Amino acid sequence: MTDLTLVIGNKNYSSWSLRPWLYLKHFDIPFNEVLIPLYSDGYKEKILQYSPSGKVPYLKDGELGVWDSLAIMEYLAEKYPEKKGWPEDLKVRAMARSVSAEMHSGFFALRENMPMNCRKVFEVFVPPENAMKDVERIKDVWSKNRREYCLKGPWIFGEFSIADCMYAPVVMRFHTYSIELNELEKDYIQTMRSHPAIKEWLAASNEETEIIITSEIKVAP
Ligand SMILES: N[C@@H](CCC(=O)N[C@@H](CS)C(=O)NCC(=O)O)C(=O)O
């Protein structure tokens, strides 16, 4: 029995939903899940029954509602401090917050040109120049921090943190669009894709039948 309900979109496509879902699963926090297929008939009204923003993800904790993926994880990190959502060290925590905020407020070309589509793999895909800049910046974030914190664990800052949840959808995108990676980046993708929760998410994505056409049509240039 739990008071927590997470409202999410399609697992195949909803990148923002994946973030707090992974957080809850990774830290074994029990929750109910409500999935509203995005862009299906009446989907907006259904979301608005929960979230004033009209967007997913949305977390209901009893009478309290929290929306926006990062705000939800911040709330969960405070509600369950023993789960350590952020790195313990002040400086590492500042870096984890910086890369999380950078992801939350940027990378628009990547989002636009490489939508999350967990089921799909485009074997030949050359991102447009502006999206490629985003890809390179993300690879820098992963490689630099993986080098620095590798002794502490396999995640961006060693131990699993909110930063990994923020970048999980990019892992899916890099796989879908067959982005060239160095060994450190490949290891990170492998770590994320072998996480039991991610395997569960991917298996559920494969079972979904809804198609969001704007996330499907990508022609390799
Ligand atoms: N900044 C928000 C973005 C939420 C968002 O854009 N969610 C998308 C789904 S991935 C959505 O609800 N789209 C439906 C719509 O805009 O009508 C967050 O981090 O939660």
Side-chain angles (χ1 to χ4, degrees):
M1 183 61 186
T2 169
D3 280 343
L4 291 183
T5 298
L6 185 70
V7 184
I8 59 172
N10 318 51
K11 291 198 168 119
N12 191 52
Y13 301 111
S14 185
S15 52
W16 308 87
S17 299
L18 169 57
R19 298 162 166 187
W21 188 93
L22 174 59
Y23 189 91
L24 286 161
K25 287 279 176 176
H26 177 84
F27 286 116
D28 275 328
I29 302 169
F31 66 104
N32 304 307
E33 178 181 307
V34 172
L35 191 154
I36 299 175
L38 299 175
Y39 309 110
S40 59
D41 283 352
Y43 86 96
K44 200 50 138 184
E45 290 69 30
K46 285 181 198 153
I47 296 177
L48 282 167
Q49 283 172 10
Y50 295 95
S51 176
S53 73
K55 292 184 187 292
V56 289
Y58 175 84
L59 181 77
K60 190 168 147 36
D61 184 3
E63 294 298 303
L64 176 70
V66 189
W67 59 95
D68 191 287
S69 53
L70 188 52
I72 294 171
M73 291 188 287
E74 290 280 14
Y75 171 72
L76 291 168
E78 287 189 11
K79 178 162 170 141
Y80 303 98
E82 72 284 4
K83 305 290 187 186
K84 301 202 181 13
W86 292 113
E88 272 185 295
D89 180 271
L90 178 69
K91 286 183 185 160
V92 185
R93 191 159 68 248
M95 287 304 104
R97 282 208 157 103
S98 297
V99 302
S100 298
E102 185 180 355
M103 169 50 68
H104 209 43
S105 60
F107 300 116
F108 298 112
L110 175 112
R111 293 183 208 287
E112 191 185 327
N113 292 284
M114 301 164 62
M116 190 172 97
N117 184 343
C118 296
R119 284 193 293 260
K120 204 112 181 176
V121 173
F122 297 95
E123 276 168 21
V124 183
F125 178 82
V126 181
E129 204 180 321
N130 54 357
M132 199 60 206
K133 281 194 184 138
D134 287 350
V135 166
E136 292 303 338
R137 172 63 194 142
I138 291 166
K139 283 159 56 113
D140 273 359
V141 167
W142 291 356
S143 291
K144 177 184 170 294
N145 291 301
R146 289 292 309 111
R147 259 194 295 278
E148 193 155 346
Y149 301 107
C150 61
L151 293 181
K152 293 191 163 173
W155 301 98
I156 301 179
F157 293 96
E159 284 175 44
F160 185 92
S161 75
I162 287 175
D164 297 291
C165 297
M166 293 300 290
Y167 282 80
V170 178
V171 167
M172 303 304 148
R173 289 175 156 112
F174 280 15
H175 178 79
T176 294
Y177 298 97
S178 304
I179 297 299
E180 232 174 88
L181 302 163
N182 68 25
E183 287 311 309
L184 277 176
E185 296 150 4
K186 275 188 204 158
D187 279 358
Y188 182 62
I189 298 248
Q190 183 54 31
T191 298
M192 184 67 82
R193 290 183 66 86
S194 0
H195 192 299
I198 292 293
K199 286 186 174 170
E200 187 184 330
W201 180 276
L202 291 174
S205 302
N206 275 327
E207 295 297 311
E208 288 176 355
T209 52
E210 300 87 9
I211 301 286
I212 298 179
I213 200 72
T214 48
S215 298
E216 288 291 336
I217 301 168
K218 281 282 152 203
V219 181

